Amino acid sequence: MQAMEWKGSNMRLAFFFAGAMALALFGCTANDQTEPPTATGSATAATTAGPVAAETVPLTFDRWSVVLVTLSPPGRPQITSSFCRFPTPLVWADRLAASRGCRLLHWRDAQDLAGILEPLDVGEITVEVNGAEVPLQPLDPSLPCLREAGLSVPELRVGDVVRVRSTGGADVPAFDLSLPVPETAGPATTPEGTVLEIGAPWSIRWAGTGASDVFVEVRGTLAERDLALSCRGLAGESLTLPPELTALWPAGVERAKIQTGTEVAIDTGGPEPTTLRITAYDEEVGTRVTVGAPTP
């Protein structure tokens, strides 16, 4: 989900895993019944510590049915879709802690997806933006589940409506979903290089916005894999992560940063819904910080 440098087949896998991470971060996993409730209405809804579960919980996928619109300046929007079934559920990350609308997640090692997934028959998929209709086309024969809109998508502004529709197929009924592009929250106003102390409250502020679908992530790399303390469904301009949760941040995390943005989603409903999700990041890089142990 963050900007990375990829080439060739790794670029295709990056797009594919972007779909996986987006679905998983926002609750569409096989572990839904164990997830904490999402904070709504106010940033303070996620700041109350409450019980913090410190345990390793594997998170899995058995099906993806999602169209993702990602805005991360600079550049045009990235529009991809994933319609896949996993005969054996894919473990994509471990949840290390949960408190209200926040989760501490550590991604698993990337797998060769080509041999462990089955494409879902969804028919033809078309994206409509500002009067332009763009078909989603397969990216690679080895990853038939993944499609993208390519470079022909018009630039998007706040309030523009993105419409996605499909003709339907044997596995996924026809759908027609629309969402306006949300206002972007952020960037974080935390000064570059700020030290966040493990086990202390982390006060994070971002530039003012009227959005009510804000997310805040403290991200880094642990054992060459992504780690993220992610809070979603926020409003307002600030968030305080409680010490009970920050105390569980592992030692040895590298390249930490704060990233904010907004996200909206709509789905078709039913037991196996199709989701349209628009994610607007504050900026490509985020705000670099240092996370460290308390000073003796």
Side-chain angles (χ1 to χ4, degrees):
M1 292 181 61
Q2 72 258 46
M4 296 181 180
E5 294 181 359
W6 295 81
K7 295 181 180 180
S9 61
N10 284 341
M11 174 74 80
R12 294 188 286 272
L13 288 176
F15 288 138
F16 201 79
F17 271 105
M21 287 188 284
L23 276 172
L25 280 172
F26 311 116
C28 300
T29 73
N31 295 18
D32 274 351
Q33 68 275 14
T34 66
E35 295 305 301
T38 300
T40 57
S42 170
T44 59
T47 63
T48 303
V52 177
E55 57 182 348
T56 300
V57 179
L59 302 180
T60 63
F61 278 117
D62 55 19
R63 180 185 174 105
W64 299 343
S65 296
V66 64
V67 179
L68 298 171
V69 181
T70 304
L71 295 88
S72 180
R76 293 182 180 274
Q78 181 185 103
I79 302 181
T80 60
S81 70
S82 300
F83 287 86
C84 310
R85 177 191 298 115
F86 287 88
T88 301
L90 171 69
V91 180
W92 62 274
D94 293 310
R95 192 188 70 209
L96 306 182
S99 179
R100 305 294 177 119
C102 301
R103 298 195 291 175
L104 181 60
L105 304 174
H106 192 201
W107 271 257
R108 293 286 186 97
D109 287 326
Q111 300 183 32
D112 181 5
L113 298 178
I116 60 173
L117 56 81
E118 299 174 354
L120 297 173
D121 182 2
V122 63
E124 301 299 320
I125 307 173
T126 303
V127 176
E128 182 179 333
V129 178
N130 295 329
E133 295 187 356
V134 181
L136 295 186
Q137 302 285 2
L139 206 78
D140 189 304
S142 67
L143 294 173
C145 300
L146 177 64
R147 307 184 195 188
E148 69 159 354
L151 301 177
S152 56
V153 179
E155 292 187 9
L156 292 175
R157 300 175 299 275
V158 174
D160 285 349
V161 175
V162 178
R163 180 185 181 189
V164 180
R165 62 184 186 275
S166 83
T167 57
D171 300 311
V172 181
F175 60 85
D176 191 335
L177 298 170
S178 298
L179 273 178
V181 174
E183 180 181 352
T184 303
T189 56
T190 305
E192 194 88 4
T194 292
V195 176
L196 301 177
E197 187 176 291
I198 295 173
W202 293 356
S203 296
I204 299 172
R205 301 186 63 86
W206 53 90
T209 174
S212 58
D213 300 288
V214 178
F215 63 83
V216 173
E217 296 175 345
V218 182
R219 304 186 65 91
T221 304
L222 178 65
E224 300 184 349
R225 293 180 283 128
D226 279 354
L227 181 118
L229 205 171
S230 175
C231 303
R232 323 201 79 80
L234 307 175
E237 299 177 5
S238 65
L239 168 71
T240 300
L241 293 164
E244 295 89 345
L245 187 57
T246 70
L248 301 177
W249 182 271
V253 177
E254 301 175 331
R255 297 185 291 277
K257 66 179 179 180
I258 300 172
Q259 200 150 39
T260 64
T262 54
E263 185 159 81
V264 292
I266 188 172
D267 64 48
T268 56
E272 295 180 336
T274 292
T275 301
L276 167 62
R277 189 178 307 279
I278 302 178
T279 303
Y281 281 93
D282 60 338
E283 55 186 27
E284 187 173 346
V285 176
T287 302
R288 299 291 181 180
V289 294
T290 299
V291 180
T295 304

